[in-house]
Amino acid sequence: MTVGKWAAGAGLCMVMATGSALAAQPSEAQVRELMQVMDVPAQFTVMNNQMAAMMSQQLPCVPASYWQTYIDKTGVEQLTTAMIPAYQHHFSAEEVQGLIKFYKSPLGQKLVSQMPATMAEAAQSGQQWGRQRTADMFAALQKGGKLDAQGRCPGTAADSTPAPEDGQGQ
């Protein structure tokens, strides 16, 4: 019976340890504070503006002003609420407090203020790299005969000679 008591005690310790680990999850209020100091609502505005520009190009028949309200005040609240569980899943309450402290610091605030411009510049660099990389790879494929001069697979329907109109083979 001593082994049974020991196993029960060990099981109880495991349950208690698991319970304390669950207690370390950040509260919704902590995550909301973190999102505020990270200026997440402003990031939603940037996302909204990018999406509105894209949709205006794709659907010119719809006024651009229509898309400007895609992420409105209600949308910001809904999106924030939807994101909270992800933060709670990946960060402990202690880590969220550390992040809040960092983002409230001068360096954290500089990161928040400079991140949109930094990401825009990085995206441009990534796009430029991607265009060059694609061109280089297409050139290699063309040189190796895998692609034709128009960047298509040789012998595809676009390159083949049309069949005779009577439907019979050549």
Side-chain angles (χ1 to χ4, degrees):
M1 284 284 220
T2 307
V3 173
K5 287 181 182 179
W6 180 86
L12 180 60
C13 287
M14 287 175 52
V15 167
M16 289 173 60
T18 303
S20 65
L22 291 176
Q25 183 182 51
S27 69
E28 180 177 331
Q30 283 180 299
V31 174
R32 285 182 183 279
E33 182 180 359
L34 174 60
M35 293 174 83
Q36 281 298 317
V37 297
M38 290 174 61
D39 206 16
V40 171
Q43 294 171 29
F44 292 156
T45 301
V46 171
M47 286 172 37
N48 188 76
N49 292 340
Q50 291 171 343
M51 191 276 314
M54 180 183 68
M55 293 306 293
S56 293
Q57 289 176 354
Q58 291 182 0
L59 298 170
C61 60
V62 178
S65 60
Y66 180 80
W67 301 111
Q68 289 297 327
T69 61
Y70 187 80
I71 304 178
D72 58 7
K73 186 176 179 178
T74 301
V76 168
E77 176 56 30
Q78 291 169 340
L79 201 45
T80 299
T81 299
M83 293 171 67
I84 288 171
Y87 283 85
Q88 290 174 320
H89 178 78
H90 291 281
F91 297 98
S92 70
E94 184 179 333
E95 291 167 334
V96 168
Q97 281 307 117
L99 288 168
I100 290 169
K101 183 177 178 180
F102 168 74
Y103 279 105
K104 284 184 173 180
S105 74
L107 180 58
Q109 286 300 292
K110 180 175 182 176
L111 177 64
V112 168
S113 70
Q114 296 301 310
M115 192 53 64
T118 302
M119 293 306 292
E121 289 176 36
Q124 286 178 339
S125 297
Q127 289 170 355
Q128 182 179 358
W129 175 87
R131 284 190 296 272
Q132 185 61 51
R133 179 74 171 147
T134 300
D136 292 347
M137 292 181 82
F138 268 60
L141 289 167
Q142 287 170 335
K143 184 177 180 181
K146 300 290 185 191
L147 295 178
D148 65 17
Q150 289 75 38
R152 294 186 304 247
C153 294
T156 59
D159 288 344
S160 64
T161 308
E165 294 213 16
D166 65 3
Q168 296 185 17
Q170 296 176 347

